[in-house]
Every structure is written in C-alpha cells, then in structure tokens.
Amino acid sequence: MAALERVWALGRGLGTTFGYLFKPRTTVDYPEKERPVAERFRGLHILDRHDDGLEKCVGCELCQAACPAHCITVEAAENAPDAPTSPGERYAWRYEIDLLRCIFCGFCEEACPTGAIQLTPRHDLIGFRRSEFEVDKRWLTVPDPRRATAAGPAASGGAGERAPGGPIAG
Amino acid sequence: MSSNPPAQSPAGARPAVDGPRPAAPAVSPPPPATVTCTIDGKPYTFPRGTLIVNAVRQVGHPIPYYCYHQKLAPVGACRVCMVSVLGAPLTRPGMGPIVTTGCTTPVFEGLEIETMSEAAKLARKQVLQFLLINHPLDCPVCDKGGECDLQDFTLGYGPGVSEFAERKILRRKADDLGPFLVLDQERCILCQRCVRYENEVTGEQNLVLKERGDRTVIDTGRGEPYSGYFSGNNTELCPVGALTSRTYRFKARPWDVRPVATVCQGCAVGCNATVNLRGDRIVRLLLRDNPQTDGGWLCDRGRYGFGHTTAPARLDRPLIKRNGELVAASWEDAVSAAAAGLRQGAAVLGGGRLTDEEALLLSQLVRVGLKTNDVDWRVGYQTFAAPEAVGMQGAQIGDIDGADLVLLCDTSLLEEAPVVEIRLRRSAGRNTSVIDLGPVRNFRHGPSRRIACAPEDLPARIAALTPDFQAAKSPLIVWDGRGGEALAEAIRGLGARVLVPAEFNNARGAEIAGLVPDALPGYHRLDEAAVFSKAWGAAVPSATGRHTQAILAATGGDVQALYLVGANPLRTFPDGALAAAALDRVGFLVVQDLFLTEAAHRADVVLPALGPLEKEGHVTNMSGVRQAVRRIVSGPSGAKADGEIFRLLAAALGATLADVPAEVASEPVRLRLPAGSASTPPGEGLRLIVRPALFAGGGTAAHDPNFDPVRGGTVVRLHPEDAAELQLAEGDAVHLQSGGTALRAVVSKDGGVARGYAVLAAHVAGVQGLGPRVRVAPARAEVTVG
Ligand code: SF4
Ligand code: SF4
Ligand code: SF4
Ligand code: SF4
Ligand code: FES
C-alpha cells in the first residue's frame, strides 16, 4: 500500500514538471537574449560628459560622501586653463568604484550636482579577479563625442571597452 | 575647519566671589563685575562686557556669525548675528524688542535676548539672501565646501530660494595672490576678517577692501603679490571659500581627513598645530591654539612645511662610498662601515634637530661608544641655546606681552621665530617700546627705536642702554646667541630676562642632553663623569672636549673621523672655508640626514634619517617648554629614526645605551662662549653679514618642494645709497667677490641695512664660503668677449 502511494507521489511530481513543457517559457537565453529591465533600474555606473566632450564630473567628492558602502574614491585636481578636463576649476583625476561593494542604491547619482555619475540599466557584472571589479575613470567615462567621431569609440577608452582593471562589458 | 572656535564652558553659574567686601571707597563704587540677563526666557549671569554673541554661544544656543571672530575686534560688518533684545538703554520703556547685532552689543543688567524671535529670524534670512546675490554658488568646486559657514548658515537660517533673478557680477576667480594664497573674489562676503587680521594682528595690511558698494572686493594693496610670512592664517579666518591655500587646493574634503595633533618643528617656537591626513598623506596644517607658544597663529613655514615628507629627493636607503661613488647599501653594511670608521678619533657635530630622547642617546653614544667629549650641536652662528646655561635669566615667549621694554639685539624675530614677532608687533603698538639694535633693521612692522651699529660695537651700545633698562619695569632682551662672551657680558649687565630664538628647532634639547664639549647631560660638570660611568655601565671621559671650530680645525690631525648628525656645516658654519677644508681633510665622514646635502656628497657613509613628523618623542622650544611630538607619517621605508640609528651604531661599537642617572648633585656648569671678534675686518669692499631668512635654509625647508616658489635665488641686500654708488638697480645680477671665491646674487635695495654692509641669507649654498668683505660687481661685467 505504502509503495503504491510513493509511486503515485512520484508520478504527480513528474506530472508537474512535465506540464511545464507545454506552458510559455519564463527564462530567456541569456546572454544571447536579454529581458528588458524596468525603466528606473539601477545597474552599472557611467561618468557622463557634456556635449562638448568635457567631463561632467568636477571632482566634488559628494558621491563619495553619500555612498553608504564607501566604495567610491575621488581625488580632485586643478584643470589646466588651456586644456581643461571639465568646466570650471576642478576635475577628478582619480575616480574609482569598487563594484563588488556597491549596493546599487543610486545615492551617488542623487548626490551628484552635475549629473556626472549615472546608474545605467546595464547589469552584466562579470569578471575573473577581484581587481577587475575595481573600475576607474577609463572604464566609467563615456566616450568623448569629439574623439569618437574622429577615431571610433575604441580609441577613446570609454565605457564598454574592456579596460585593464575593468570587468567584461556586455 | 569651522572658523568659529567652540563656545566656552556654560556660564549659567555665577563665579564664586570669596572674601570680605573691600571697605567702601570714597568714589562711587565700581559697577559689579557680572551682569544677569535672560536668553530665550532663562536667566544667566556673565562677566560684564561679554558680547551677546558669546553669551548666546556659551549657553549653547545657536547663533550665526561671519565677521565676528574671537581673535579679532568686533566690527559688525555682516549683520547676520541678529537677535531680538529688550531692555533700557537699547529700548525705551513701553517699546517692544528691537533687532540688533549680537557681536557688537555687550550684555547688560536686565537685558532680555531672544534668539529665535520671528523678527530676528526674518532679519537673518534677508541678510543671507543679500549675501548670496552675487555669490557664484559653486560649492562643488570650492575647497571650503563641507566646512563653510556660508553653506551651514544658509541651510540653517537662510531662505530656500532667492528673489533675485538679475545677472550676477563677475569677479576674479582662482587668483594666486601669493605663493600660498588663492583668492576667489566672487565667494567673498566682505566680512573683513582678513582685512582686520592684516591690520590688528600682523600689521602688514596685505589685504584691503577696494572699490565701493556692490563692486567692493578684497585685494592686495596695489595689486602686487601678497608678501608676508603669515598668509596662511587668512585661510582659516575666512568663513567662506574666498581665501584658500594653494597647497591644499582640491586635495581633500573635510570629511575625508583625519586630524592629528602635532607641534611644528619648523623653528624653535614650537607652535601647536593640527595635521590633516588624507590616507597616509598630509594635506594641510591647521591652528591648534596654545597661548604659551603660538598665541593662536602659525607662520607659513610651519603651515606649509610638510612637503619634505613626500619629497622625491628624500634619502631612502643607506649609501656607502665605493671608488669615489656613493652606492646603495644595506643597513647592516652601512652601520658596520660607519662604526669601523668612527672607532678611532671620531668627533660628532650636530644634533640640534633631534628629539630630546634622541639627543640623549647621541650624547651617550658619543661618551661610551666613541669615548670622547668632542661633540657640539653648534654648527652655525648660535653659541648657546639656554640663557640659564650662560648665566642669564631666561624668559618665556609670553613674557613679551607684558614687557615694557624689548631690546632686539641684532636679532630678527620675524626670520628666526616668526610667530613670536606677531606678539611683539601687537605689544609694540600698545605699551612696549622696542629698541632695534644692530647693522640691519629687524623690526619693520611697528614703532621702534632704531640704533644702527656694527656687530663689534654691540657690547658698548648695550652698556649705554643701562639707564633705559633700570627705568623699565619688566624689560626683555631678544638675542639669538650670535657673537661671543663680550656681548654676553654686556647683556648680563642689563640684568633683564633673555629670550633666545634658536637656529635649530631643538637646539635647547640638544644642549640639555649634553651635546656640548664641556657638559654632560643636564648641564652636569665633566667631573661627574664617574656618576655617569656608573649609570651607563661604561667609562665616560672626563677631559673637556673641543667645540665645533676646534673640531673642524683638527680634522686630518687627531680628529680622524667626523659624524655629522643632521648637520651641514658647509651651509651653516660661519667660517665656510674652514668647514669645506675640514670635510675635505677628514679621513672618514659619516652623514646622517634626510637629504643628500653638500656634506653628504662628500661622505663615506650616508645614513638616511626620518624627519620631524615621522618619529615620536619630545622637543624643547626656545623658552624651555617641552612638548610631545608624534609619528604622523611613516616617511621613506628605507630610512630610520635617528634614535634607532644611534642604537644600531652603539651595538656595532660594542656599547649599550642605558638610561640617564636621575640624581647628580652638582651645580650646573656654565658653558664657555667663544670670545667673539672685537674688531672691524680690514680690507676693501662692503662688509658682508649673513642673517637668517625664513625660507632660505633650515633643515627641511631648504629641500621642501612646497617652498620652491618662495626660495628664489640668492639675494644680496644693500643700502639704496650704496647701490646707487655702485650703479646697481633693484634686481640687477651681481657677483660678490671675496678672496678667491665669488657668488652670483641679485640686488635688493633695503633702507633697513646700514651703509657699508651687504646682507645675505644664512644657510644658503655658497654664502658661508665668502670672507668678511665682498666686492660687488655687476654680473654683466663678467661677460667677456671671446
Ligand atoms: S550606487 Fe550606492 S553603493 Fe553604489 S557607488 Fe553609488 S552610492 Fe555607493
Ligand atoms: S561624480 Fe558628481 S558627485 Fe561625484 S565627484 Fe563627480 S561631480 Fe562630484
Ligand atoms: S576674503 Fe574671506 S575673510 Fe576676507 S572679507 Fe572676504 S569672506 Fe571675509
Ligand atoms: S613660528 Fe616656527 S614653530 Fe611656529 S609655525 Fe612658524 S616655523 Fe613652526
Ligand atoms: S557677526 Fe555680527 S555683524 Fe557680523
């Protein structure tokens, strides 16, 4: 009797599994296919530029102060008046995020007075070494539109390129 | 750094008044020393004269203020400290409360203060709105962001939005005022703290208000660069980001720095400061008031003199000379090579830049390791550090405040103990008369009686001042110890207390530690050698050693090896020719220093040492105050603290360093002073005198990258008439020739130099090699055709 009950239970369980063969799929073939994310999804960061190619970041360190995970490091320097990196007097010569510590809260984006640091829908955080997740300006900064038209995005060392010390970009 | 010092202890309780009341005087009784008033409905008692702004802060209620500062006189310029007050005579009976400035109104009996009345709130809100009319609102790029009173008070008391939509007035931004100061005129709120500091404290008036109305700006007088030794204090006084430091520019935010208390070792004043570290790098120094030493200010050498901690030129490994080349070596090899070379006939020079503890270790190393008393810290012009050691009565730095007569005996406080000069300027403006004696005018920012005389005439001139000193109630003499016994005797004759600015920051610590040829630690007589031998467990020589001059003269003879500890006699010793000859002659030379100095280039072994901010211990300042110093940064990894090097050397020499005996029962010894020259040097040409200059030399300042902009070239100061006779104009390049040596310099005309003198800065390469007289020739005459 007991044996029969067990076979019945097994059959019922397999039946559930079997039943899914005829239902619509909920998974996608990632990474070949991607599911759209919510409009305000908070994924990997970029450092944006102005239309004239200057970096939006002025190195104010407010994002570093706002970050609850303490994973941002900003160090500022003075712009060369004849070849500025950003508008105004100050720019970030060093900007690093430890993406393994980041909790993608978006506080940095909220704190930023210039809209420089932005969280994008990208979420492909892949790498083989810890150091690959400590990204710096080369990885974060979007391509310079002035240089991108001249020599293509690869030459500008912008986001999307697999810069040394950055995870694989999707 | 908030520029507003914290409020003092709550003054709710009235201070106890003890003892019987004095008998009723004939005149009307003085008003009581305290007054009672109410603040936000509660009664408090304060000393008479307390300003409302301080009273409110003392009881812990918030009040915004910009122009008021505890170290400056109140002015009432910013109008943001508004409070409601009620009480005669400010308001008439029957009248309601009025709004007034808390920083210019003292509390009085029966005054009712309301800090948060609607009227006061509105007044502050409107003032803050006005202050921001032309403000650029560029906090993200402003160095003050995060510690700015304009940010804080606008958030706390200001309006959320401005009613002004007009275009802002644009002004000068990111303007380098001087080597250390950056001005942003747009951010200035015209509180005039900087202007008042330049008026009341330094008296230099480097910063002034220009233009009128909404065009008013802060600027230097005629638009020339800021020149002065106290510019950095402005950056801490300025409540906004208008005046900021060049060295700190964009280096950090207040929330990512770690404050550590320290004592400046730029000179022997020993000003207290707070170091701010970002990670393991020093980004700035801030004030840490100590009324005993700094009186609440720092000089620029102290504030910005931290660049040596990361200077690329720092020595970071020992060097040994092989085939005429200095090559890197391990510490073991270097120490054993040094010990082997020093074993026979060694003498030691230097030590004025060690900590007290290290000086004591060196003193022992000399006695029990090198078995000699040939040791002397005095490798420059200074002949003693502690006035007590040469039979004079010492003074405290603070004694300047109460002195009614101050004699500057051929000594510049400004160049040798800058922050002390601020005290003298302040008291000279009140009730201190200053006598400025010597060949160069040394006191230039205050009233003084100038007596020009040649160095050899100083004793006679001082003796002539006896009546002035007898008439004075608390006279004071400032003498840097240049000269000899004749001058010392004249100064003793005046019977006044003496303040001695030191050539090396811890000269006094070195002297107490016995780094002199005629005394053991604690100024004990050499006769006590037996006591010290017992305590140290090794024989201490009791024969008097030789002083620097004699040691240098005896090199190549029975001084076979020389150990220079943080000393570079080629730059500091007055007889540069002797020093150069001595270092060439000596059989074996060990140099222990932070940088590859001229002396280190000639060394057989170079031992890299850690700097003042890189080791623990104590230092003794010019008036004998001992202060602890801490290790704040680690310094080059291959360098070692001087004390550790002494222990290594002692071990290699087979000696052990122990503690000093606590009790030695002898009278302290009186140090011998050199006789000093009493005659005018013969010969042609201008008489050369070498006087200290703040940024010219010194241990670390000479190599500090932060001072590159101010170091400049070699400058020779001449009386304008002498310059005219030689047909020289300001800025002309000249050759100073003396005997076989010549030095290139730039002319600076200076009416404060007596006629017939040429003045050069001390501790500068090449200066000490010149003789007592120089011929000044235009450099262009040197250019020969062909
Ligand atoms: S998203 Fe949040 S945790 Fe991540 S860097 Fe920004 S502030 Fe830090
Ligand atoms: S990203 Fe924005 S908040 Fe962060 S330093 Fe740059 S400007 Fe400031
Ligand atoms: S520069 Fe600073 S201290 Fe001077 S008036 Fe302006 S705000 Fe005040
Ligand atoms: S006066 Fe001397 S101790 Fe004081 S800050 Fe200047 S250099 Fe340092
Ligand atoms: S602080 Fe009172 S008027 Fe400025």
Side-chain angles (χ1 to χ4, degrees):
Chain A
M1 194 62 193
L4 207 64
E5 262 178 32
R6 278 185 203 155
V7 171
W8 172 238
L10 184 70
R12 217 174 43 163
L14 280 174
T16 305
T17 311
F18 195 67
Y20 273 96
L21 278 178
F22 307 101
K23 286 188 185 159
R25 290 199 320 181
T26 53
T27 55
V28 295
D29 295 335
Y30 185 84
E32 281 77 31
K33 295 207 181 89
E34 274 191 50
R35 198 187 279 282
V37 293
E39 206 167 312
R40 292 169 68 179
F41 182 86
R42 298 187 301 262
L44 297 174
H45 313 65
I46 56 158
L47 278 172
D48 203 8
R49 286 182 195 270
H50 291 286
D51 292 341
D52 60 3
L54 291 180
E55 290 175 9
K56 284 187 177 173
C57 175
V58 294
C60 69
E61 295 190 24
L62 288 177
C63 50
Q64 172 182 331
C67 177
H70 299 301
C71 65
I72 305 183
T73 311
V74 184
E75 283 189 53
E78 186 150 21
N79 272 317
D82 41 351
T85 310
S86 68
E89 298 156 39
R90 179 174 175 141
Y91 77 101
W93 69 267
R94 175 175 179 208
Y95 194 110
E96 287 171 17
I97 303 183
D98 183 347
L99 290 172
L100 286 182
R101 278 185 166 207
C102 175
I103 57 169
F104 298 98
C105 60
F107 284 8
C108 48
E109 186 174 17
E110 218 167 299
C112 181
T114 64
I117 187 82
Q118 294 174 9
L119 269 58
T120 65
R122 274 182 55 204
H123 48 73
D124 44 349
L125 190 55
I126 313 149
F128 296 102
R129 286 181 299 276
R130 273 175 189 276
S131 61
E132 289 174 18
F133 297 94
E134 288 157 17
V135 295
D136 57 16
K137 272 186 85 177
R138 288 170 299 181
W139 189 89
L140 285 163
T141 316
V142 299
D144 183 343
R146 295 168 304 181
R147 293 172 61 193
T149 47
S156 68
E161 184 192 353
R162 190 177 175 195
I168 301 163
Chain B
M1 110 210 84
S2 171
S3 20
N4 297 332
Q8 288 144 11
S9 59
R14 142 199 296 265
V17 181
D18 297 328
R21 289 191 69 141
V27 292
S28 62
T34 59
V35 295
T36 304
C37 61
T38 67
I39 296 176
D40 294 335
K42 271 202 192 154
Y44 297 97
T45 303
F46 301 100
R48 177 172 296 277
T50 306
L51 295 171
I52 291 180
V53 63
N54 283 332
V56 171
R57 286 162 64 217
Q58 278 174 25
V59 303
H61 292 209
I63 180 168
Y65 58 96
Y66 291 126
C67 65
Y68 176 72
H69 194 279
Q70 263 182 342
K71 296 176 188 171
L72 303 170
V75 61
C78 72
R79 323 305 290 177
V80 82
C81 58
M82 294 294 196
V83 288
S84 283
V85 290
L86 180 67
L90 279 183
T91 56
R92 279 197 302 277
M95 195 176 151
I98 60 161
V99 173
T100 190
T101 50
C103 70
T104 50
T105 320
V107 292
F108 52 83
E109 194 66 37
L111 176 70
E112 292 171 34
I113 304 166
E114 220 190 311
T115 59
M116 279 300 178
S117 69
E118 286 310 315
K121 281 203 275 191
L122 182 66
R124 294 197 291 245
K125 194 168 270 184
Q126 290 175 341
V127 166
L128 282 161
Q129 185 175 180
F130 285 170
L131 286 179
L132 292 178
I133 292 177
N134 286 310
H135 188 280
L137 304 177
D138 57 352
C139 306
V141 297
C142 175
D143 251 346
K144 197 79 170 185
E147 54 185 6
C148 175
D149 288 345
L150 194 54
Q151 285 184 327
D152 295 349
F153 295 155
T154 304
L155 200 65
Y157 307 93
V161 286
S162 174
E163 295 162 72
F164 291 89
E166 288 77 8
R167 289 179 64 122
K168 300 197 179 223
I169 297 177
L170 302 182
R171 300 193 174 102
R172 270 155 60 199
K173 286 182 83 67
D175 192 3
D176 279 302
L177 273 193
F180 307 116
L181 211 55
V182 187
L183 170 69
D184 187 311
Q185 289 179 334
E186 292 184 350
R187 293 184 193 140
C188 172
I189 56 165
L190 300 174
C191 71
Q192 299 175 42
R193 279 190 190 177
C194 55
V195 177
R196 286 180 291 147
Y197 163 78
E198 295 281 339
N199 261 327
E200 299 167 18
V201 181
T202 69
E204 293 176 7
Q205 292 168 343
N206 278 308
L207 296 173
V208 295
L209 285 174
K210 276 188 178 170
E211 309 298 337
R212 291 290 179 275
D214 62 357
R215 308 278 150 169
T216 315
V217 290
I218 292 291
D219 200 354
T220 53
R222 269 174 252 100
E224 72 281 11
Y226 187 110
S227 71
Y229 289 165
F230 307 105
S231 69
N233 295 323
N234 281 305
T235 65
E236 270 186 84
L237 288 174
C238 183
V240 301
L243 288 169
T244 51
S245 283
R246 172 52 51 197
T247 50
Y248 179 63
R249 196 157 168 81
F250 305 154
K251 288 279 188 308
R253 287 289 183 197
W255 55 76
D256 43 40
V257 298
R258 187 162 51 91
V260 189
T262 191
V263 173
C264 174
Q265 292 172 70
C267 77
V269 178
C271 298
N272 291 194
T274 303
V275 168
N276 276 188
L277 291 156
R278 182 173 189 186
D280 53 2
R281 278 180 88 99
I282 298 176
V283 289
R284 64 175 174 184
L285 261 72
L286 301 176
L287 300 172
R288 183 165 70 89
D289 300 1
N290 182 347
Q292 226 184 350
T293 55
D294 49 66
W297 307 110
L298 287 176
C299 76
D300 288 351
R301 170 153 153 184
R303 187 183 290 272
Y304 300 118
F306 56 82
H308 67 271
T309 55
T310 49
R314 278 289 293 275
L315 290 170
D316 72 343
R317 65 191 64 183
L319 307 171
I320 297 184
K321 187 155 276 175
R322 294 217 171 88
N323 307 324
E325 289 276 320
L326 282 170
V327 293
S330 71
W331 269 101
E332 291 76 35
D333 294 347
V335 167
S336 55
L342 292 174
R343 216 173 273 277
Q344 280 304 314
V348 179
L349 293 178
R353 298 196 174 107
L354 302 172
T355 64
D356 292 352
E357 292 80 358
E358 290 169 342
L360 208 47
L361 285 178
L362 177 60
S363 191
Q364 279 188 57
L365 174 68
V366 173
R367 267 73 192 217
V368 305
L370 305 178
K371 303 186 177 53
T372 177
N373 281 321
D374 285 342
V375 56
D376 207 340
W377 67 266
R378 296 166 291 190
V379 288
Y381 57 78
Q382 196 183 358
T383 51
F384 69 96
E388 290 84 359
V390 291
M392 298 171 190
Q393 195 193 345
Q396 291 296 312
I397 290 173
D399 290 345
I400 287 191
D401 298 341
D404 55 352
L405 177 64
V406 173
L407 168 66
L408 294 175
C409 177
D410 195 7
T411 299
S412 169
L413 277 176
L414 181 60
E415 308 289 352
E416 301 176 56
V419 164
V420 183
E421 161 111 359
I422 292 188
R423 271 181 205 261
L424 187 59
R425 288 181 191 174
R426 296 193 97 173
S427 43
R430 293 174 191 154
N431 41 16
T432 307
S433 43
V434 179
I435 301 178
D436 186 353
L437 181 67
V440 187
R441 176 185 282 279
N442 284 314
F443 190 61
R444 297 178 187 226
H445 291 93
S448 70
R449 195 171 124 205
R450 169 94 180 102
I451 305 177
C453 77
E456 61 274 5
D457 296 340
L458 286 169
R461 296 295 184 124
I462 287 174
L465 292 172
T466 313
D468 298 86
F469 273 76
Q470 276 165 354
K473 274 203 285 296
S474 57
L476 193 77
I477 299 171
V478 183
W479 178 38
D480 61 7
R482 175 200 312 276
E485 182 54 36
L487 185 48
E489 194 49 49
I491 285 174
R492 273 182 218 121
L494 292 181
R497 287 161 304 163
V498 182
L499 197 58
V500 185
E503 191 176 5
F504 306 103
N505 65 304
N506 199 21
R508 205 151 161 160
E511 198 173 273
I512 301 169
L515 295 182
V516 281
D518 44 1
L520 289 168
Y523 296 107
H524 288 300
R525 296 171 182 285
L526 292 171
D527 319 345
E528 305 288 340
V531 182
F532 282 84
S533 306
K534 207 161 136 232
W536 289 346
V540 171
S542 59
T544 307
R546 283 170 285 198
H547 54 78
T548 307
Q549 167 100 25
I551 289 173
L552 290 175
T555 53
D558 61 345
V559 171
Q560 295 158 22
L562 206 50
Y563 180 20
L564 300 179
V565 182
N568 181 10
L570 296 176
R571 277 206 185 192
T572 59
F573 195 64
D575 189 348
L578 172 64
L583 294 199
D584 283 341
R585 273 196 312 254
V586 72
F588 191 79
L589 180 63
V590 180
V591 172
Q592 181 168 321
D593 216 316
L594 273 61
F595 295 92
L596 204 60
T597 59
E598 292 93 336
H601 274 292
R602 307 181 183 210
D604 297 285
V605 178
V606 180
L607 302 171
L610 290 178
L613 295 163
E614 298 157 3
K615 54 194 186 183
E616 305 271 329
H618 290 79
V619 286
T620 308
N621 87 342
M622 59 191 269
S623 50
V625 178
R626 262 186 116 221
Q627 303 188 95
V629 291
R630 290 167 63 184
R631 183 170 194 189
I632 290 173
V633 286
S634 49
S637 56
K640 287 189 194 296
D642 295 274
E644 200 185 336
I645 302 175
F646 299 146
R647 288 192 188 278
L648 289 174
L649 268 177
L653 287 162
T656 43
L657 303 182
D659 288 332
V660 231
E663 293 291 327
V664 188
S666 77
E667 277 284 291
V669 75
R670 186 193 273 200
L671 298 183
R672 279 177 304 145
L673 290 176
S677 80
S679 60
T680 317
E684 294 269 302
L686 294 178
R687 178 141 180 217
L688 175 69
I689 52 175
V690 179
R691 290 295 179 267
L694 192 64
F695 294 118
T700 52
H703 303 270
D704 202 309
N706 286 354
F707 295 143
D708 285 344
V710 281
R711 216 170 285 116
T714 312
V715 174
V716 58
R717 291 190 280 148
L718 304 174
H719 191 277
E721 287 175 25
D722 285 333
E725 244 168 53
L726 292 160
Q727 295 177 345
L728 294 171
E730 182 84 21
D732 276 1
V734 289
H735 271 115
L736 306 173
Q737 288 153 343
S738 138
T741 46
L743 182 71
R744 214 184 145 86
V746 171
V747 171
S748 162
K749 290 200 259 184
D750 182 353
V753 175
R755 284 216 60 180
Y757 287 87
V759 186
L760 285 173
H763 294 201
V764 171
V767 167
Q768 311 289 1
L770 298 169
R773 289 203 177 263
V774 287
R775 285 199 306 113
V776 182
R780 57 180 177 275
E782 293 289 305
V783 182
T784 46
V785 185

